Amino acid sequence: MQLISSLTDGLLLGFVYGVAAMGLTLIWGVMTVINLAHGPVIALGMFGTYLFFTHLGLNPYLALAPVALFGLLLGFIIYGMAVHRVINAPHLSSLLATFAVNMIIIGLGTAIFSTSPQNIDYSLGSMQIGFLTIPFSRLLATLGAVLFTAALYLFLYFTRPGKAIRAVANNRRAAELMGIPSSQVLALSFGLGTMLAAVAGGLIATFFPFTILSGGPYELKSFVICVLGGLGNPLGALLGGLILGGLEGLIPTFMPVSWVPVVEFGLFVLVLLVKPSGLLGAK
Amino acid sequence: MNLLEINDLTSGYEGVQILWGVNLSLEKGKLTTLVGSNGVGKTTLLSTVMGLLRPWQGTVNFEGKDVTNLPAHARAKAGMVLVPEGRQLFTEMTVLENLEMGAFSPRARVSFKQNLDKVFELFPRLKERAKQKAGTLSGGEQQMVAVSRGLMAEPEILFLDELSLGLSPLLALTLFESLTRLKKTGLTMLLVEQNVSMALAVSDYAYVLAEGRVHLEGPARDLLKNDEVRRTYLGI
């Protein structure tokens, strides 16, 4: 019973991990850039939700809408400033460029918010299903994660700009030849990726305390998840998120919590060795 | 009236000059062929004309306007459309989605339905394959998608790079027949083709490119009789 309740806990968290990882994998899939500024944007999403809640009294779940918009705009800015000019350069250039953005956000964030932990004081109580106790905040976060995933899927497969993103990801040169302004599409994709990061941050903030540095671990988890699910595959990211969340729920019932990262990154290395294309990876 | 004017165009890659001053003009409604051996710069010329490659010198005028500095997507929007060598389909997307992407520019979007009907009439096989991923089609079918995607963009001028490359003679013939049908609709086309005899047979006018320059030009019929062309490109 303890097992099932830990697993449920982990899986619910896994959906939120999935959203963060989807942002990373989307950016990689479209422009083969590894966004090292992903973590700080997750942290900014946390602070965004926090600020809307404490200063404007906005319900943290409603605050996700402006936080998402903010994440999108922030993505445009990061793309325009740091990514666009190195988009055709070797990977190291974009790694360094996004790492620089990472340092800038963390520096500014530390100056403004300091590194003392904050939390959103908003409790919804919990729900009892048989022997399971599920906090409503986890349930709503999962619901939010599922909604954003579904929205992303519908956007990519059923709207013109979404299809243009897939076309650019598939063959940027051909997209350009068909009249698709590929630079704008890349900026949009980057914006969507950071939007997902900010949303994931906002969701996490509703149940965990955080500092401006809190994004880092989630960024690392996102890497593990992306590799599990296959880099560039949004659906794989969700699956990877669930696997990782499930593991995080289960591992502490068998061994000390400090072993969680050991198992996670052990798995990461194992997948890279055995099936580098990821569990759902085709290429 | 000339739809496209290429004046003294020079271009190349990373310090290697490929084009050494190309002058070429395309008359509206005509099918023109560009002939040349491998490596003389045919694809480079098309890339430069389309804006995928920055020209070093020279100008490209389309419909009387200088488009030399426009990005590729803006040229496509204006009606210059390239069916690239090696097809370059969106392999992970369905045939229908490929055609939708062809009609991305606002100009082409308006007449999406009519153009789709036209394209399906030209290549009925694509209608059956509409929901299939483009990457899973045979080579010939993929080439049909590539041409159709170009047509969906409602081109004023269509550039076709190595249309018959890697296709069986029968399929190549089918595609060439579709070109003659397209010509009857008044579409201006520039064909770059290694199958010189077939290309010259359907064309109005032709250019021979050699060493990065236009070496010969004239009505396609005359070039078919030209001794040098026959020896070098037709093997007769």
Side-chain angles (χ1 to χ4, degrees), chain B residues 11-142:
Chain B
S11 163
Y13 303 92
E14 314 245 340
V16 181
Q17 187 164 357
I18 311 274
L19 302 179
W20 296 79
V22 174
N23 290 288
L24 196 147
S25 54
L26 299 183
E27 209 179 318
K28 200 173 166 73
K30 298 288 189 215
L31 174 51
T32 308
T33 289
L34 183 63
V35 174
S37 324
N38 277 335
V40 294
K42 289 171 294 174
T43 297
T44 308
L45 178 62
L46 288 186
S47 299
T48 313
V49 169
M50 274 310 295
L52 291 172
L53 206 62
R54 213 164 251 290
W56 297 1
Q57 265 166 36
T59 57
V60 178
N61 286 321
F62 172 64
E63 289 181 320
K65 273 169 282 183
D66 185 357
V67 297
T68 318
N69 293 314
L70 285 186
H73 67 86
R75 296 188 205 207
K77 226 168 263 175
M80 295 168 69
V81 177
L82 168 66
V83 176
E85 185 183 2
R87 307 187 269 271
Q88 306 286 329
L89 296 184
F90 304 119
T91 47
E92 299 291 318
M93 300 171 82
T94 65
V95 170
L96 190 64
E97 284 174 331
N98 268 273
L99 299 180
E100 279 175 40
M101 289 299 103
F104 190 83
S105 65
R107 210 166 54 98
R109 221 173 289 173
V110 203
S111 37
F112 176 75
K113 275 256 156 22
Q114 296 98 291
N115 286 338
L116 192 67
D117 288 342
K118 263 187 234 165
V119 158
F120 281 156
E121 197 193 315
L122 198 62
F123 302 114
R125 210 175 325 166
L126 295 188
K127 198 170 185 175
E128 303 158 26
R129 300 268 193 260
K131 297 274 174 217
Q132 214 167 311
K133 262 192 193 172
T136 65
L137 302 184
S138 72
E141 289 167 342
Q142 289 198 12

